[in-house]
Structure formats: structure tokens, C-alpha cells
Amino acid sequence: MEDEEQLGSLRTQRWGRFELNLQGPSSGNPFTEITLTAKFRLRHLVIEVDGFYDGEGRYIIRFMPDTVGEWSYETTSNVQELSGIRGTFYCVDPEAGNRGPVGVDKTFHFAYADGTPFYPFGTTCYVWNHQGEELEEQTLRSLAESSAFNKIRMCVFPKHYDYNLTEPAFYPYEGSLENGWDLNSFNPGYWRHLERRLSNLQALGIEADLILFHPYDRWGFSKMSREEDSLYLRYAIARLSSFRNLWWSLANEYDLMKSKSMQDWDRYFRLLQEHDPYQHLRSIHNWHHPGIHYRSNLHWYDHGKPWVTHASIQHPDLHFVSEWREQFQKPVVIDECRYEGNLNHGWGNITAERMHDCFWEGVLQGGYVTHGETLLQEDPILWWSHGGMLHGDSPERIRFLRGIVEEGPQLDKVSINFEWDTSAGGVDGEYYLVYFGSSRPAFRILPLPEDITFTIERIDTWEMTITALPGLYTAGSRIDLPGKPYQALRITAVHN
Amino acid sequence: MEDEEQLGSLRTQRWGRFELNLQGPSSGNPFTEITLTAKFRLRHLVIEVDGFYDGEGRYIIRFMPDTVGEWSYETTSNVQELSGIRGTFYCVDPEAGNRGPVGVDKTFHFAYADGTPFYPFGTTCYVWNHQGEELEEQTLRSLAESSAFNKIRMCVFPKHYDYNLTEPAFYPYEGSLENGWDLNSFNPGYWRHLERRLSNLQALGIEADLILFHPYDRWGFSKMSREEDSLYLRYAIARLSSFRNLWWSLANEYDLMKSKSMQDWDRYFRLLQEHDPYQHLRSIHNWHHPGIHYRSNLHWYDHGKPWVTHASIQHPDLHFVSEWREQFQKPVVIDECRYEGNLNHGWGNITAERMHDCFWEGVLQGGYVTHGETLLQEDPILWWSHGGMLHGDSPERIRFLRGIVEEGPQLDKVSINFEWDTSAGGVDGEYYLVYFGSSRPAFRILPLPEDITFTIERIDTWEMTITALPGLYTAGSRIDLPGKPYQALRITAVHN
């Protein structure tokens, strides 16, 4: 993997990666037989991290320091030659663009470790990293050119499903579909490739919402034993947790994985909690939703459990976002609300208008939303799973919204009732963003607070225009609207 | 009132009207002091109906016979000159177009008394009958020209609300806003006018869903005492129940009428049950809906009560129709799901696309839907309340759907799952109507029953085109679709 983050052996930037490469035994099964950890110390602060075996006698320990200063370390192993290795390095200020990992901020939001708010505008390319060099590079170019997205949902394991029937370029384990897998021997080549892709995403400012388990499987990776699952999770944590742009998505559509119980998910969440030194964001993503069983979120994994950092929800109706915020008291990310596309499947055939509408509605209720694209092409490549090129009309609208959101404050529920046909968020008395969705009033009387004056801009969210309205506004102001869908107002207090 | 239905004094058509006009005292208060009923007999069948006072010493008894043959009658009164009056008339076969009153059919549907299915395609003109001659005649012309609607929601009492601030042409009571109302003295001129409008609607084949109470009131009619309410209901029943095109809508947005309790509504339903000899359809219409309190139908008046013939629901999300059918085991009519318009109010600013989409979704789930229009014009006339002219783009689409529905069987839940992004109704193995709504699949594999072959027509519900697809279809047939919203399929079994 590229190691541009380690600035020589003695200097590592804050939230960069210090990596210790060791040589050790290659006989037996080093993945299961050899233990290796290191304690990193800065004054009284001690952080213990797991090392991992990288094949051919190579052992690696990775560490992401979060504090500037001189760190020392010492290894421990059940093999003498890997134990008692000591050294120091200096953690320095981060380079521009490195704000650290993302965590929860102010109950319902996210921020980088340096305090900068992070507003997730996600997309979904489940197995883009399994498609081979050419297509993967194209995906990265598309992400860079689009500038719409700063989070991507992607899987560790390959995917078997409609439109996903070819074999992947790499497998995480040694073995083959024909001859079986050695679920106690990882394939380091696979993991190095995954790490390269995480680094590529990091360079683009994109968080990797890494899906650890999923049900779309012909290889058996969805039906491993508890011991094999645990070995896999610990290997993934040891290898990957030093990536500052990493989020753990424990599973996609976990409720389709009939071989795992709610207790298994609890156990794996706790394992992530116990072994990830950096406490990356943790979530789990459902399948059941109201299109199938209306009002059935009762059976969802309880996002209120303490090890879940945010609710990662599949649901086509963004109307419920504010309810889920209240229910879980955590950030709500609608990681699937159907995809812009024309697929035979219901989940993949909404219009670009509806996709962009979902973003506005979800975001203005104080949640976050994830995009996907399933537009059938001449070739069998669909962005939703393979990456490649973006063909839809929603990404530029999502980028437009992202720009507006990043210019403003974190959006919370406001005490003003802008009428039930709108979604509205903001900061009381300071800032309101009001979205009319598919409603098309010709005008609206705004119940703004008295004694405060505001400027108002009218936003056409589909046409992506922002028009400053002349003058100042206050309680009871009447605003004329164009009487067509997808209009919004940005209302900003004037301070003298 | 016009009495074209009474074919001379001795012949009345089935479901027509026999009317007995009597002269009696005009002193005191005949509305409260004089009782008058008549028993109509055909062999062993006896039907008792109430008469009413029409002012200036005129007393009227109306009767709608439902059986062909010779009927006799005899009056009873607490006034000697009105009592013991006897006679006979002959009930003959109905004229063409007279199918009798509408009732519930096969649990979830409606039919005329002669057995012909009735599919309600309603519209809303709350107080069109309070607007004066010129506008009312224009409303009737619009209804005739549109041909979209066969049911209209309209109020007995005048309406006070935004866009409804002028005084009506007539009041149901003697008195005035300034000097108060005599709530024990009805204004016969008002009622004769209402009856003329009911007759006009009947001539157009339109059922009058007559709203007896509503909360939009500056005159006090929404806050009468129980005794006054009862007197009003009994007067309305005596005058109006012989209209075969009459439905009783006990109240619009009853839950905004804070002066009446659930027990009051029970009582008034039972009063209608007891005094209406013909058992016209009875319903009550809510205000609260999920836009305000999501999932809150728990607090609705219980449409399961035995005196409620069908659920008359206000709700913007047609997704729930099949659930309400199951819950109430009665016909479900979504009498308000927002209106085609551009009003400042949320309930009145959806697009024509959405209005027509509501009809398709609701109807294909086995329910029925009601239209409204609130498109702001140069003049202050809005169809939703005043009638006048239809300006929107949804009525012709509703007429198109009505034509398709009237050609087919009553739509019920089918055992085939056409995928959750569709609404589908029909008759298993015989007929399926499948609607894709705002989804836009490029194709669909149809899980049709095996061993049956079908013809398929592709319907563009917005463009109003029907395209017969070549060939025959069966289980697993793939149908190409144009990849745009508002498509439907009509699938009809081929019988050799």
C-alpha cells in the first residue's frame, strides 16, 4: 500500500498512519497461531493496537495517532522475534485536508475530529472495488469529476445478485469457489488492493462506509461460523482501522442473513467496539421497509443500542426522518431510499426528480441521505454495484444541495411551523431552509419570528438557481412562489 | 321543486318520488308543533315516512317506492285536518337511467339498487349550491362537459373559510347573521333551492354526497344544541331522503368541531338510521391525517361501527388504502387526498400528475378517490368550494380511468405479487390492472398464473393512450416498458 502518510520513519502526521513492518515466522498458520500487539504511549496515554500477518513472513502494526507529540511503542507477541520491539516517532500537525476521522457531533450530526462539521452526501457502489483496474479507476475519476459525494457504501465481500454474476478480481481468503475456501487464511493481495482503494477515496475526501457482511453470496462468506466471523472482523480491524476515512457498516440488509441472529449482531458490534482503537462510526442497515410491511420498523435492529453510533436506514419515505431522530437520538442516515434508475426492480427505478427530492426532504428534516444509480446501459455496468460512469441527472442536484448545506449551519428542527407540506430545518431565529417538495404553492405567508428581519433567497432545487428576493422580511411576510414543484427558501437573519 | 318523477298522481316510477301535498295550519310553529307521518303499504310491506312543513300552510309527504305494484297510504298527524288522509298510486318500472339509489356491494364496493356496479369518481365543490344562479348553472355545465365525475361532495350549511367570505344566497333557517337565527324555523326557500340542485345532479347521473355538518362557520350552525341538531337532521331526512342520488356525509372534518363529542356523532348516525326509510349511504370524514400526526388513524371515528356504511377518509398517502379495507371491511373512499392546485395551503397545491396518480393508486388498491381543484384564477372562484369552471389537467385523466374501470370488473386484491412498487387490482386468473405510479422500470417479468394465457395492453395513464401488445402472455412473460412514470398494464385472460 502507499504510505505517503508516514513522513519518514520518525514523523507521522496527526490522524496519519504510523506503520511498523516486521519479519517473523511463515510456517504453520500465522493468521490464527501468532498473536501480535503493540502499546503506543504518549506520556500517560496508552493505546493498544493489534498487528496482522501480511503473508510471506511479513507482520505489520498500524497506528493512527490523534495527539501531537512524541510517541513510543513496544510490541508483544507469542513469538519471541516479534516481541519486545521498541521505538519512538513524532506525531506532527496534520497536512491541509486532513481533518481526522468523522464522529458524531451534537447528537444528530457528524464532524471531523478537528471539529469541522461533516455533512454526509453518500453514494452506493457496493462492489466497485471488485471490478478490476480499468473500471475501478474510472469510478474514481467519476467520483472526482462529480464532486457530489463525500461518502461511499462498499463491500468487503464480492456480490452475487441480479446484474452481479461475474467473478471478482480478488477474494479475501485463500481458496476458490470450486475447491473451497480456507476461512482461516486471508489473501493479503486482496486486502492490499482494498487498502489502495481506501487510500484513493481518502485522497478524494470520501469516507468509506465499509460493509462487513451482506447476504448476496454464492461463495459462502455470508454463512461462516461465529469463530470465522470473529477472525475476519479482527483481521479487518487490525488492517483497516488506521484509515481515518473508514466507517464500519456491520451489514447491508442484515435481516436477509438468516444464519445470523440479533445476538450475533450484538456480539459483532461489541467486538468492533472492543478492538477498534479509534472507535470509527458503527451502523447496521435493514432490508424490511414499509413498501413491504408498512410501519414495521418495530422489527429493526435497535439503533438505540449503545454501540450503534448512527441509524443507517433503508426506507423509501423520507417523511419519517424526524420521527427516527426523536426515536433514536442519533444521526439518521437514509442509506437507501431507492435509486435513480429504470430497473425492473422497485428499489431501482425512481426518477432523478424523486432522487433529488429525497435528498432535500431528508436533509431538511435533519437527516442525511445516500444516492444510488441503476440506469440500464448498453453495457452491463450499473453504478449502484460496479461504479464506472454516472449517467443520471441527480448527482449535480445533490452537489448543489451539498454546497448550500456546507455554507450553512447544522440543520435542526425549528420551532416555526412552516406548514405540514414543507420540510424545514435550521437554527431558530438565525437561519431557515424551507423546502416545498412536490407541493407547488403560488405564495406563502411566512410565520417568521417578530422583531427579527431576514433576507430571503428563492431556490429552484431542480433548476439549481438561487434568486435573492429584494428587501427584508419578517413575521407575516408574503412570498410569491412560481407554483411549480421543487422550490425552497433560504431565510437568513440580518444582524446589525 | 320539479316533479318530473311523479308520473301523474297515480303513477310513480320505481325509485322515483311520490309526493303528497296537503294544506294545514300555519299558526304557531308548525316545524316543531305539528307531527305528520304516512304509512305506505304494498301487500304486507309497510314503510313509514315523515312529512315536513314547507311554509305557508303547506305540508308535504314524499315517498320513494322501491317495488313495482299498487301502493296505498294513510297519514297520521296530531292535527285532525292532516290525519287519516288515504290514497293509492301505482309504482311502475323505472325509466332508462334510473337504477335506484347506490348501496354497498360485495363488502368493498358500491352498486345501484338494480345491481349495476357504481364506481364513485367524486369531486368536491363544498358550497357550489350557495353561489347564486349564474355560477351554479355554470357548475352544472362544467360537470356535464367534463364527464369525469359521478359523485360530488357538497354542504347544506354555508361555508366560512379562506377564500369563502361572502354571504350565501340562501340560509337554511329564518333569521340573519345580524339579528340571529330562529333555529326552530327552517327557510323553505333554501331547501327548495337545494332540492332543485339535487335534481339537477340526478339528471346528470351524479350522486350528491351531502355534508350535514362542518366546522367552517361564522353563523353558529356548527354549534347548535343537540335538540336543534336533531330537529335539523329530521327535517333534512323528511325533505331529502326521497332523492335516490343522495348520500349522507354526516360531517366534514368532524374532528375540528370541538362542540360535538364522539357520542354525538354516534347519536346522529343512529338518528339517520332510524328515520331514513331508504338507508342511504352514511359516512363521516376526518381532518387529522399523517401529514400532521403520522400513523394517527387511531383517533379517527371508528368506521367499523355498524351504522357507518363506508370509510370516507382524508389522507394524502394512498398507500394505506388496502390496509384500511382490511381494517374496516367496508368500501374505502379517499374523499380528500389534497387537491390539484397552487394554493398557499398544503392541502391545495399538488400537481395534476399527483392528483391523477392518487386516483390510479387508490383505485387499483380497491378503493375510491375524490378530486378537488384549487387553482388560483384572476377571479376569486375556486372549484373546490364554489364550483364554476374546471381549469386543471386531472379531470380528463380521471375520466379516462373511469372509462377503464367501468369496462372491467370490480377490483379486488389479487393473489399475484406484481412487486411492491406497483398497485394492482383485479380478479384472480381473469383480469389484472397493474399501475407503476412514479416508478419507471424499463421492463418487468410478470408472475402471471401458469396454464392461462392473457392479452396485455400498455396504458400511459398521463398521455391517456392504450396500446395493445402483440401476442399472448403467460407466467414469466417479459414486458418492455417505456421507462417513464405513470404506466399501467391491463391484463385480460383469453378464454377459448
Side-chain angles (χ1 to χ4, degrees):
Chain A
M1 65 171 293
E2 297 119 311
D3 229 344
E4 69 275 7
E5 300 246 319
Q6 194 174 348
L7 313 167
S9 64
L10 293 178
R11 290 173 66 237
T12 298
Q13 59 172 307
R14 192 181 180 196
W15 305 307
R17 182 182 304 109
F18 175 82
E19 187 169 298
L20 187 63
N21 287 272
L22 304 171
Q23 254 340 99
S26 58
S27 59
N29 183 347
F31 293 106
T32 56
E33 294 167 10
I34 292 179
T35 63
L36 173 64
T37 63
K39 283 188 172 144
F40 288 82
R41 292 171 198 269
L42 182 141
R43 291 184 293 276
H44 297 291
L45 172 63
V46 182
I47 296 173
E48 185 169 0
V49 305
D50 292 329
F52 62 91
Y53 183 58
D54 191 43
E56 298 171 346
R58 278 193 308 278
Y59 292 81
I60 300 177
I61 294 170
R62 291 177 178 160
F63 177 60
M64 176 174 70
D66 68 349
T67 308
V68 170
E70 191 182 38
W71 291 79
S72 64
Y73 59 85
E74 177 172 2
T75 65
T76 304
S77 176
N78 59 355
V79 175
Q80 198 177 1
E81 63 198 286
L82 297 172
S83 203
I85 296 165
R86 299 178 190 194
T88 60
F89 72 93
Y90 211 84
C91 174
V92 299
D93 283 334
E95 293 180 339
N98 172 1
R99 302 193 184 95
V102 170
V104 171
D105 186 44
K106 299 190 190 76
T107 308
F108 299 115
H109 299 285
F110 299 99
Y112 292 103
D114 77 350
T116 309
F118 173 78
Y119 304 100
F121 284 83
T123 188
T124 303
C125 300
Y126 282 126
V127 285
W128 76 276
N129 47 309
H130 290 269
Q131 304 300 320
E133 196 65 16
E134 191 183 347
L135 191 54
E136 293 176 21
E137 289 296 325
Q138 191 184 54
T139 303
L140 291 166
R141 284 195 303 277
S142 297
L143 287 166
E145 284 160 17
S146 152
S147 298
F149 306 115
N150 57 15
K151 176 169 101 70
I152 192 166
R153 285 181 65 74
M154 57 186 281
C155 298
V156 175
F157 291 124
K159 179 172 177 178
H160 170 76
Y161 195 77
D162 277 15
Y163 304 99
N164 288 266
L165 299 171
T166 57
E167 286 297 312
F170 299 92
Y171 299 94
Y173 290 99
E174 299 292 351
S176 68
L177 183 55
E178 295 72 27
N179 302 318
W181 306 99
D182 181 353
L183 298 175
N184 287 310
S185 286
F186 297 98
N187 169 9
Y190 166 87
W191 293 88
R192 278 184 225 119
H193 177 74
L194 175 61
E195 287 155 6
R196 182 155 73 93
R197 294 314 181 198
L198 296 179
S199 289
N200 296 148
L201 293 171
Q202 184 177 296
L204 294 172
I206 296 174
E207 303 290 305
D209 197 6
L210 192 69
I211 296 166
L212 293 164
F213 293 105
H214 67 250
Y216 332 107
D217 178 33
R218 65 172 172 266
W219 303 274
F221 303 139
S222 68
K223 294 176 183 172
M224 305 191 297
S225 72
R226 283 183 192 167
E227 292 68 30
E228 289 158 351
D229 282 348
S230 298
L231 185 72
Y232 157 68
L233 289 173
R234 294 206 47 184
Y235 192 72
I237 294 167
R239 283 203 78 117
L240 306 179
S241 63
S242 65
F243 283 82
R244 65 172 173 268
N245 63 326
L246 186 76
W247 301 23
W248 301 117
S249 180
L250 185 53
N252 208 53
E253 300 190 334
Y254 73 89
D255 41 350
L256 289 176
M257 300 185 74
K258 303 301 181 193
S259 65
K260 299 197 200 306
S261 67
M262 286 292 192
Q263 288 70 32
D264 289 327
W265 299 122
D266 287 353
R267 186 178 300 113
Y268 300 153
F269 264 121
R270 291 200 304 266
L271 187 150
L272 288 170
Q273 246 191 330
E274 185 181 342
H275 292 280
D276 172 3
Y278 319 108
Q279 299 296 298
H280 288 288
L281 291 163
R282 287 178 298 266
S283 68
I284 188 165
H285 186 72
N286 63 291
W287 171 64
H288 274 102
H289 67 71
I292 298 158
H293 301 290
Y294 229 94
R295 310 188 203 170
S296 73
N297 72 353
L298 294 173
H299 302 295
W300 287 356
Y301 186 89
D302 179 9
H303 300 299
K305 286 182 176 175
W307 40 77
V308 179
T309 55
H310 62 285
S312 168
I313 287 174
Q314 174 169 177
H315 202 290
D317 189 347
L318 284 294
H319 208 104
F320 295 102
V321 167
S322 52
E323 217 172 88
W324 291 320
R325 265 175 61 127
E326 290 308 305
Q327 183 178 347
F328 300 123
Q329 292 293 311
K330 292 179 183 179
V332 171
V333 185
I334 307 304
D335 272 317
E336 184 177 336
C337 55
R338 307 177 73 187
Y339 305 133
E340 180 184 357
N342 59 350
L343 227 55
N344 47 322
H345 299 300
W347 46 260
N349 60 28
I350 61 170
T351 59
E353 286 84 347
R354 176 62 187 149
M355 182 91 255
H356 111 288
D357 181 52
C358 287
F359 268 79
W360 275 87
E361 185 173 1
V363 166
L364 267 67
Q365 288 195 35
Y368 298 98
V369 184
T370 299
H371 158 272
E373 182 182 298
T374 47
L375 284 162
L376 292 166
Q377 305 298 320
E378 299 277 305
D379 61 44
I381 297 166
L382 296 168
W383 175 265
W384 137 80
S385 209
H386 314 105
M389 301 212 298
L390 283 160
H391 302 274
D393 294 319
S394 67
E396 59 181 315
R397 273 85 187 178
I398 294 167
R399 180 182 54 200
F400 176 73
L401 171 60
R402 180 181 166 189
I404 289 169
V405 168
E406 290 180 346
E407 281 173 31
Q410 287 160 325
L411 296 171
D412 284 301
K413 198 176 164 182
V414 291
S415 58
I416 290 181
N417 179 3
F418 285 101
E419 307 260 342
W420 62 266
D421 62 335
T422 63
S423 296
V427 175
D428 270 322
E430 288 292 328
Y431 180 93
Y432 305 94
L433 207 50
V434 184
Y435 176 56
F436 296 93
S438 56
S439 298
R440 52 162 188 180
F443 70 94
R444 191 56 61 100
I445 312 289
L446 297 179
L448 295 171
E450 298 185 7
D451 307 324
I452 306 179
T453 52
F454 296 89
T455 58
I456 298 184
E457 293 153 296
R458 199 174 62 210
I459 300 171
D460 188 316
T461 70
W462 181 252
E463 300 294 340
M464 298 179 283
T465 57
I466 302 177
T467 310
L469 302 184
L472 296 174
Y473 301 86
T474 186
S477 289
R478 173 187 161 128
I479 302 295
D480 286 316
L481 291 159
K484 61 177 182 170
Y486 310 134
Q487 305 300 308
L489 296 176
R490 179 161 61 179
I491 304 169
T492 310
V494 178
H495 293 290
N496 296 318
Chain B
M1 65 172 295
E2 296 117 313
D3 229 345
E4 68 275 10
E5 301 244 321
Q6 193 175 349
L7 312 166
S9 64
L10 292 178
R11 290 173 66 235
T12 299
Q13 60 172 307
R14 192 180 180 196
W15 306 306
R17 182 181 304 109
F18 175 82
E19 187 169 296
L20 187 63
N21 286 272
L22 305 171
Q23 243 356 89
S26 58
S27 59
N29 183 348
F31 294 107
T32 56
E33 293 167 10
I34 293 180
T35 62
L36 174 64
T37 63
K39 283 186 174 147
F40 288 83
R41 293 171 197 268
L42 183 142
R43 293 184 291 277
H44 298 291
L45 173 62
V46 181
I47 297 173
E48 186 170 0
V49 305
D50 293 329
F52 61 90
Y53 183 60
D54 192 44
E56 297 171 349
R58 277 193 308 278
Y59 291 81
I60 300 177
I61 294 172
R62 291 176 178 161
F63 178 60
M64 175 174 70
D66 67 350
T67 308
V68 169
E70 192 184 34
W71 291 79
S72 64
Y73 59 83
E74 177 172 4
T75 65
T76 304
S77 174
N78 60 354
V79 175
Q80 198 177 1
E81 60 197 287
L82 296 173
S83 204
I85 295 164
R86 299 178 191 193
T88 60
F89 72 92
Y90 210 84
C91 175
V92 298
D93 283 334
E95 294 179 338
N98 172 2
R99 303 192 184 94
V102 171
V104 171
D105 186 44
K106 299 191 188 73
T107 309
F108 299 115
H109 299 286
F110 298 98
Y112 292 103
D114 77 352
T116 309
F118 174 78
Y119 304 100
F121 285 82
T123 188
T124 304
C125 299
Y126 283 126
V127 286
W128 76 276
N129 48 310
H130 289 268
Q131 304 301 318
E133 196 65 16
E134 189 182 349
L135 190 53
E136 293 176 21
E137 289 297 325
Q138 191 183 53
T139 303
L140 291 167
R141 284 195 302 277
S142 296
L143 287 167
E145 286 160 16
S146 152
S147 299
F149 307 114
N150 58 15
K151 174 169 103 69
I152 192 166
R153 286 181 64 74
M154 57 186 282
C155 299
V156 175
F157 291 123
K159 179 172 177 179
H160 169 77
Y161 195 76
D162 277 15
Y163 304 101
N164 288 268
L165 300 171
T166 57
E167 286 298 313
F170 299 91
Y171 299 94
Y173 291 99
E174 301 291 352
S176 67
L177 184 56
E178 295 71 29
N179 302 318
W181 305 100
D182 181 353
L183 297 175
N184 288 310
S185 288
F186 297 99
N187 169 9
Y190 165 88
W191 292 88
R192 278 183 226 121
H193 177 75
L194 174 61
E195 288 155 5
R196 181 155 72 95
R197 293 316 182 197
L198 296 179
S199 290
N200 297 146
L201 293 172
Q202 184 177 295
L204 294 172
I206 296 173
E207 302 290 304
D209 197 7
L210 192 69
I211 296 165
L212 293 164
F213 292 105
H214 68 249
Y216 334 108
D217 177 35
R218 65 172 172 265
W219 303 274
F221 303 139
S222 67
K223 293 177 184 170
M224 303 191 298
S225 71
R226 285 183 192 166
E227 292 67 30
E228 290 158 351
D229 283 346
S230 299
L231 185 72
Y232 157 68
L233 289 173
R234 294 206 47 184
Y235 192 73
I237 294 167
R239 284 204 76 118
L240 306 178
S241 63
S242 63
F243 284 82
R244 64 172 174 271
N245 64 326
L246 186 76
W247 301 23
W248 301 119
S249 179
L250 186 52
N252 208 53
E253 301 190 334
Y254 74 89
D255 41 350
L256 289 176
M257 300 185 74
K258 304 301 182 196
S259 65
K260 298 195 200 307
S261 67
M262 286 292 192
Q263 289 70 31
D264 289 327
W265 300 121
D266 287 352
R267 186 177 300 115
Y268 299 153
F269 265 121
R270 290 199 305 267
L271 188 150
L272 289 170
Q273 247 190 329
E274 186 180 341
H275 293 280
D276 172 3
Y278 318 108
Q279 300 295 299
H280 288 289
L281 291 163
R282 287 179 296 266
S283 68
I284 189 165
H285 186 72
N286 63 291
W287 170 66
H288 274 101
H289 67 71
I292 296 157
H293 300 290
Y294 229 96
R295 310 188 201 173
S296 72
N297 72 353
L298 293 175
H299 302 296
W300 286 357
Y301 186 89
D302 179 8
H303 300 299
K305 287 182 175 174
W307 40 77
V308 179
T309 56
H310 62 283
S312 168
I313 287 174
Q314 175 170 178
H315 201 290
D317 188 348
L318 283 293
H319 208 103
F320 294 103
V321 167
S322 51
E323 217 173 87
W324 291 320
R325 267 175 60 125
E326 290 307 306
Q327 184 178 346
F328 301 123
Q329 292 293 310
K330 293 179 182 178
V332 171
V333 186
I334 307 304
D335 272 319
E336 184 176 336
C337 55
R338 308 176 73 186
Y339 305 132
E340 181 184 355
N342 61 349
L343 226 55
N344 47 322
H345 300 300
W347 47 261
N349 60 30
I350 62 171
T351 59
E353 287 85 347
R354 176 63 187 149
M355 183 91 256
H356 111 288
D357 180 53
C358 287
F359 269 78
W360 275 87
E361 186 173 1
V363 167
L364 267 67
Q365 288 194 35
Y368 298 97
V369 184
T370 299
H371 158 273
E373 182 182 299
T374 45
L375 284 161
L376 293 166
Q377 305 298 321
E378 299 278 304
D379 60 44
I381 297 167
L382 295 168
W383 175 265
W384 136 80
S385 210
H386 314 106
M389 301 213 296
L390 283 159
H391 302 275
D393 294 318
S394 66
E396 58 181 316
R397 273 86 186 176
I398 294 166
R399 180 181 52 198
F400 176 73
L401 170 61
R402 181 181 166 190
I404 290 169
V405 168
E406 291 181 345
E407 283 172 30
Q410 287 161 326
L411 296 171
D412 283 301
K413 197 177 165 183
V414 290
S415 58
I416 289 180
N417 179 2
F418 286 99
E419 307 259 342
W420 63 265
D421 63 335
T422 63
S423 296
V427 176
D428 269 321
E430 289 292 328
Y431 180 93
Y432 304 95
L433 207 49
V434 185
Y435 177 56
F436 295 93
S438 57
S439 298
R440 51 159 190 183
F443 70 95
R444 190 58 58 101
I445 312 289
L446 297 179
L448 295 172
E450 298 184 6
D451 307 324
I452 306 178
T453 51
F454 296 88
T455 58
I456 298 184
E457 294 154 295
R458 200 174 62 210
I459 301 170
D460 188 316
T461 70
W462 181 253
E463 299 295 340
M464 297 178 285
T465 58
I466 301 178
T467 309
L469 302 184
L472 296 174
Y473 300 86
T474 187
S477 289
R478 174 187 160 127
I479 302 295
D480 286 317
L481 292 160
K484 61 178 183 170
Y486 310 134
Q487 306 300 307
L489 297 176
R490 179 162 61 179
I491 303 170
T492 310
V494 178
H495 293 291
N496 297 318

